[in-house]
mmCIF file of all heavy atoms in Angstrom:
data_model
loop_
_atom_site.group_PDB
_atom_site.id
_atom_site.type_symbol
_atom_site.label_atom_id
_atom_site.label_comp_id
_atom_site.label_asym_id
_atom_site.label_seq_id
_atom_site.Cartn_x
_atom_site.Cartn_y
_atom_site.Cartn_z
ATOM 1 N N GLU A 151 -90.588 24.281 -135.351
ATOM 2 C CA GLU A 151 -90.134 23.751 -134.055
ATOM 3 C C GLU A 151 -88.906 24.544 -133.599
ATOM 4 O O GLU A 151 -88.141 25.046 -134.415
ATOM 5 C CB GLU A 151 -89.821 22.263 -134.169
ATOM 6 C CG GLU A 151 -88.870 21.861 -135.285
ATOM 7 C CD GLU A 151 -87.418 22.000 -134.950
ATOM 8 O OE1 GLU A 151 -87.107 22.009 -133.747
ATOM 9 O OE2 GLU A 151 -86.586 22.117 -135.880
ATOM 10 N N PHE A 152 -88.751 24.608 -132.287
ATOM 11 C CA PHE A 152 -87.598 25.306 -131.707
ATOM 12 C C PHE A 152 -86.877 24.386 -130.730
ATOM 13 O O PHE A 152 -86.527 24.780 -129.632
ATOM 14 C CB PHE A 152 -88.038 26.608 -131.033
ATOM 15 C CG PHE A 152 -88.762 27.539 -131.979
ATOM 16 C CD1 PHE A 152 -90.137 27.629 -131.961
ATOM 17 C CD2 PHE A 152 -88.052 28.292 -132.907
ATOM 18 C CE1 PHE A 152 -90.822 28.463 -132.838
ATOM 19 C CE2 PHE A 152 -88.733 29.120 -133.804
ATOM 20 C CZ PHE A 152 -90.113 29.214 -133.764
ATOM 21 N N LEU A 153 -86.747 23.119 -131.126
ATOM 22 C CA LEU A 153 -86.165 22.116 -130.225
ATOM 23 C C LEU A 153 -84.658 22.065 -130.405
ATOM 24 O O LEU A 153 -84.180 21.910 -131.527
ATOM 25 C CB LEU A 153 -86.759 20.738 -130.547
ATOM 26 C CG LEU A 153 -88.287 20.647 -130.653
ATOM 27 C CD1 LEU A 153 -88.690 19.252 -131.100
ATOM 28 C CD2 LEU A 153 -88.931 20.995 -129.316
ATOM 29 N N GLU A 155 -81.323 19.979 -129.950
ATOM 30 C CA GLU A 155 -80.925 18.609 -129.690
ATOM 31 C C GLU A 155 -80.251 18.547 -128.323
ATOM 32 O O GLU A 155 -79.586 19.483 -127.911
ATOM 33 C CB GLU A 155 -79.942 18.127 -130.776
ATOM 34 C CG GLU A 155 -80.677 17.744 -132.049
ATOM 35 C CD GLU A 155 -79.721 17.258 -133.129
ATOM 36 O OE1 GLU A 155 -78.736 16.583 -132.811
ATOM 37 O OE2 GLU A 155 -80.016 17.538 -134.301
ATOM 38 N N LYS A 204 -89.034 31.084 -138.023
ATOM 39 C CA LYS A 204 -88.091 29.990 -137.807
ATOM 40 C C LYS A 204 -86.698 30.298 -138.355
ATOM 41 O O LYS A 204 -85.685 30.227 -137.654
ATOM 42 C CB LYS A 204 -88.645 28.717 -138.444
ATOM 43 C CG LYS A 204 -87.685 27.569 -138.514
ATOM 44 C CD LYS A 204 -87.341 27.062 -137.119
ATOM 45 C CE LYS A 204 -86.117 26.193 -137.176
ATOM 46 N NZ LYS A 204 -86.140 25.095 -136.280
ATOM 47 N N ASN A 208 -83.175 31.050 -136.054
ATOM 48 C CA ASN A 208 -81.921 30.285 -136.127
ATOM 49 C C ASN A 208 -80.785 31.162 -136.656
ATOM 50 O O ASN A 208 -79.650 31.074 -136.184
ATOM 51 C CB ASN A 208 -82.081 29.057 -137.020
ATOM 52 C CG ASN A 208 -82.562 27.845 -136.221
ATOM 53 O OD1 ASN A 208 -82.887 27.976 -135.036
ATOM 54 N ND2 ASN A 208 -82.631 26.698 -136.838
ATOM 55 N N PHE A 249 -76.516 31.999 -125.689
ATOM 56 C CA PHE A 249 -75.850 31.973 -126.994
ATOM 57 C C PHE A 249 -74.740 33.009 -127.105
ATOM 58 O O PHE A 249 -74.408 33.491 -128.186
ATOM 59 C CB PHE A 249 -76.869 32.094 -128.149
ATOM 60 C CG PHE A 249 -77.491 30.746 -128.433
ATOM 61 C CD1 PHE A 249 -78.339 30.148 -127.527
ATOM 62 C CD2 PHE A 249 -77.150 30.031 -129.577
ATOM 63 C CE1 PHE A 249 -78.861 28.892 -127.750
ATOM 64 C CE2 PHE A 249 -77.670 28.764 -129.818
ATOM 65 C CZ PHE A 249 -78.533 28.206 -128.898
ATOM 66 N N ASP A 251 -71.787 32.050 -125.657
ATOM 67 C CA ASP A 251 -70.640 31.252 -125.263
ATOM 68 C C ASP A 251 -69.695 31.146 -126.430
ATOM 69 O O ASP A 251 -69.995 30.499 -127.439
ATOM 70 C CB ASP A 251 -71.093 29.837 -124.834
ATOM 71 C CG ASP A 251 -71.856 29.868 -123.528
ATOM 72 O OD1 ASP A 251 -71.402 30.599 -122.617
ATOM 73 O OD2 ASP A 251 -72.882 29.177 -123.416
ATOM 74 N N GLY A 257 -72.205 24.294 -134.933
ATOM 75 C CA GLY A 257 -72.308 23.173 -135.873
ATOM 76 C C GLY A 257 -73.707 22.601 -135.785
ATOM 77 O O GLY A 257 -74.643 23.272 -135.359
ATOM 78 N N CYS A 260 -78.716 22.246 -137.994
ATOM 79 C CA CYS A 260 -79.672 23.337 -138.141
ATOM 80 C C CYS A 260 -79.012 24.689 -138.430
ATOM 81 O O CYS A 260 -79.245 25.265 -139.484
ATOM 82 C CB CYS A 260 -80.518 23.429 -136.876
ATOM 83 S SG CYS A 260 -81.363 21.877 -136.558
ATOM 84 N N PHE A 319 -71.680 17.482 -132.058
ATOM 85 C CA PHE A 319 -71.682 18.938 -132.305
ATOM 86 C C PHE A 319 -72.060 19.728 -131.055
ATOM 87 O O PHE A 319 -71.823 20.941 -130.984
ATOM 88 C CB PHE A 319 -72.572 19.290 -133.489
ATOM 89 C CG PHE A 319 -74.037 19.456 -133.192
ATOM 90 C CD1 PHE A 319 -74.579 20.720 -132.978
ATOM 91 C CD2 PHE A 319 -74.879 18.367 -133.141
ATOM 92 C CE1 PHE A 319 -75.926 20.899 -132.713
ATOM 93 C CE2 PHE A 319 -76.237 18.524 -132.864
ATOM 94 C CZ PHE A 319 -76.760 19.788 -132.649
ATOM 95 N N LYS A 320 -72.643 19.050 -130.067
ATOM 96 C CA LYS A 320 -72.932 19.669 -128.777
ATOM 97 C C LYS A 320 -73.142 18.548 -127.766
ATOM 98 O O LYS A 320 -73.283 17.386 -128.182
ATOM 99 C CB LYS A 320 -74.165 20.585 -128.885
ATOM 100 C CG LYS A 320 -75.431 19.849 -129.282
ATOM 101 C CD LYS A 320 -76.572 20.792 -129.463
ATOM 102 C CE LYS A 320 -77.099 21.270 -128.122
ATOM 103 N NZ LYS A 320 -78.389 21.959 -128.238
ATOM 104 N N ARG A 409 -64.168 25.231 -125.474
ATOM 105 C CA ARG A 409 -65.490 25.585 -124.963
ATOM 106 C C ARG A 409 -65.431 26.350 -123.644
ATOM 107 O O ARG A 409 -66.464 26.527 -122.981
ATOM 108 C CB ARG A 409 -66.349 24.333 -124.793
ATOM 109 C CG ARG A 409 -66.638 23.592 -126.086
ATOM 110 C CD ARG A 409 -67.568 24.374 -126.985
ATOM 111 N NE ARG A 409 -67.913 23.623 -128.194
ATOM 112 C CZ ARG A 409 -68.778 24.040 -129.089
ATOM 113 N NH1 ARG A 409 -69.386 25.195 -128.950
ATOM 114 N NH2 ARG A 409 -69.024 23.313 -130.162
HETATM 115 C C1 UGA B 1 -80.999 24.912 -133.007
HETATM 116 C C2 UGA B 1 -81.890 25.980 -132.314
HETATM 117 O O1 UGA B 1 -81.266 26.373 -131.096
HETATM 118 C C3 UGA B 1 -83.256 25.408 -132.030
HETATM 119 O O2 UGA B 1 -84.103 26.414 -131.477
HETATM 120 C C4 UGA B 1 -83.865 24.911 -133.344
HETATM 121 O O3 UGA B 1 -85.157 24.358 -133.166
HETATM 122 C C5 UGA B 1 -82.957 23.867 -133.949
HETATM 123 O O4 UGA B 1 -81.674 24.449 -134.182
HETATM 124 C C6 UGA B 1 -83.566 23.422 -135.261
HETATM 125 O O5 UGA B 1 -83.669 24.227 -136.181
HETATM 126 O O6 UGA B 1 -84.037 22.279 -135.356
HETATM 127 P P1 UGA B 1 -79.566 22.826 -132.197
HETATM 128 O O7 UGA B 1 -78.915 22.891 -133.554
HETATM 129 O O8 UGA B 1 -80.062 21.517 -131.725
HETATM 130 O O9 UGA B 1 -80.797 23.851 -132.098
HETATM 131 O O10 UGA B 1 -78.495 23.303 -131.104
HETATM 132 P P2 UGA B 1 -78.065 24.716 -130.486
HETATM 133 O O11 UGA B 1 -78.207 24.619 -129.012
HETATM 134 O O12 UGA B 1 -78.720 25.840 -131.164
HETATM 135 O O13 UGA B 1 -76.512 24.739 -130.840
HETATM 136 C C7 UGA B 1 -76.043 24.887 -132.169
HETATM 137 C C8 UGA B 1 -74.546 25.042 -132.187
HETATM 138 O O14 UGA B 1 -74.164 26.302 -131.654
HETATM 139 C C9 UGA B 1 -73.777 23.996 -131.398
HETATM 140 O O15 UGA B 1 -72.656 23.572 -132.137
HETATM 141 C C10 UGA B 1 -73.360 24.735 -130.148
HETATM 142 O O16 UGA B 1 -72.203 24.238 -129.567
HETATM 143 C C11 UGA B 1 -73.157 26.134 -130.699
HETATM 144 N N1 UGA B 1 -73.263 27.208 -129.682
HETATM 145 C C12 UGA B 1 -74.435 27.425 -129.048
HETATM 146 C C13 UGA B 1 -72.154 27.999 -129.396
HETATM 147 O O17 UGA B 1 -71.063 27.824 -129.976
HETATM 148 N N2 UGA B 1 -72.295 28.989 -128.457
HETATM 149 C C14 UGA B 1 -73.441 29.238 -127.823
HETATM 150 O O18 UGA B 1 -73.495 30.180 -126.994
HETATM 151 C C15 UGA B 1 -74.554 28.419 -128.111
#
Side-chain angles (χ1 to χ4, degrees):
E151 53 83 22
F152 303 101
L153 311 175
E155 281 181 36
K204 170 66 196 216
N208 271 7
F249 279 69
D251 290 317
C260 303
F319 84 97
K320 61 184 285 192
R409 296 291 183 175

